[in-house]
Amino acid sequence: MRTPVVAANWKMHKTQTEARQFLADFLPRARDLAGVEIVICPPFTALAAVAEGLKGSQVGLGAQNMSDQPSGAFTGEVSGAMLVDAGCKYVILGHSERRRLFGESDQVVGAKVRAALEHNLTPILCIGETLEEQQAGQADAVNRRQLLAGLEGLTAEQVAGLIIAYEPVWAIGTGKNCDPGDAQARIAAVRAVVAETFGADAAARVRIQYGGSVKPANMASYMAQPDIDGALVGGASLDPASFAAICEAAR
Ligand code: 13P
């Protein structure tokens, strides 16, 4: 049985003060949510405040990006060791906004995944097709390409332990969430690629989230799908009641 995992991607939202206010409201709601792994990924500047606020709770801390380099003259970058030092256990890698707006190639994302694993961080590897690619019938092919580059050089055991997030780009922040049956089909295809490349055991264990306009009202329909193991949530994770309702629906 795979434990469902729900992660909040706050993107470029929330100051330290706002992050503390979120936790004061969210953590009492999350106290009874046994059986679901919950992760909060604030911006870098709020990592320390959220790490402090999460002490003694079951909720994990993640970052939204990291460098593939260990240290050095890389102005504006943050290393895996720095994330571990800040209390992170997870890191989102290859989000479509990083790929599209900041030019991250499939190969760079793969290098980041390997660097994260060297620091024992759990990567949340994001993949997903654009609207044009979907309309051209290329969704599974795009996911396959991004997945294989993202997992390049890993062992089956490493793959089994990480998290994949299928986020169709056209569903992100648009309110047009992917039909749950379609998300199931895409994610089953992703799991099949893992099975083919890393074996049946890794495919059975790796957790695959859906992301893209997840809301309290649609979360249960994703969780009802056999291959969907949770969600990566943007907009609806900014509000404590809404994020708690999504976590509740993942149980
Ligand atoms: P929304 O939930 O706002 O659509 O964002 C999804 C996302 O990009 C999470 O990483």
Side-chain angles (χ1 to χ4, degrees):
M1 263 308 280
R2 298 183 293 266
T3 304
V5 55
V6 180
N9 176 7
W10 283 355
K11 307 192 179 183
M12 198 169 73
H13 296 285
K14 294 195 191 294
T15 61
Q16 298 187 60
T17 305
E18 289 163 344
R20 285 191 201 98
Q21 283 163 352
F22 175 97
L23 293 182
D25 188 331
F26 176 73
L27 288 179
R29 298 174 190 267
R31 206 167 284 146
D32 299 326
L33 291 177
V36 48
E37 197 170 311
I38 302 171
V39 183
I40 296 180
C41 304
F44 291 130
T45 48
L47 283 175
V50 174
E52 181 65 29
L54 291 181
K55 273 188 188 147
S57 89
Q58 297 299 318
V59 177
L61 181 68
Q64 300 173 16
N65 182 28
M66 64 172 262
S67 173
D68 62 333
Q69 299 298 317
S71 65
F74 301 102
T75 301
E77 291 291 285
V78 172
S79 73
M82 292 167 183
L83 296 186
V84 170
D85 182 54
C88 291
K89 294 249 168 3
Y90 305 80
V91 59
I92 298 171
L93 294 172
H95 192 280
S96 65
E97 289 150 17
R98 300 292 325 166
R99 294 176 188 264
R100 189 165 48 88
L101 303 172
F102 302 97
E104 291 189 12
S105 67
D106 295 343
Q107 286 63 36
V108 163
V109 174
K112 290 185 176 201
V113 168
R114 294 190 291 278
L117 289 169
E118 276 169 27
H119 291 94
N120 294 319
L121 288 161
T122 299
I124 301 177
L125 168 63
C126 301
I127 59 172
E129 81 285 359
T130 63
L131 183 62
E132 296 69 41
E133 291 164 338
Q134 188 226 26
Q135 287 171 342
Q138 296 169 345
D140 288 338
V142 169
N143 285 337
R144 179 190 190 89
R145 190 198 74 224
Q146 293 184 352
L147 183 72
L148 291 178
L151 301 181
E152 170 90 43
L154 305 193
T155 65
E157 199 58 29
Q158 286 175 317
V159 172
L162 54 72
I163 298 167
I164 298 165
Y166 167 58
E167 299 204 304
V169 178
W170 47 270
I172 294 176
T174 58
K176 292 187 193 129
N177 60 300
C178 183
D179 172 81
D182 290 344
Q184 162 61 26
R186 299 284 80 73
I187 286 175
V190 167
R191 202 178 291 286
V193 175
V194 174
E196 180 190 304
T197 318
F198 296 95
D201 177 64
R205 285 162 61 200
V206 68
R207 290 176 296 173
I208 311 182
Q209 299 171 315
Y210 166 74
S213 298
V214 171
K215 302 267 174 327
N218 61 29
M219 183 63 181
S221 65
Y222 291 108
M223 292 310 296
Q225 308 297 326
D227 282 293
I228 302 184
D229 304 315
L232 182 55
V233 188
S237 76
L238 297 172
D239 174 71
S242 145
F243 188 55
I246 290 170
C247 295
E248 172 70 37
R251 281 212 285 177

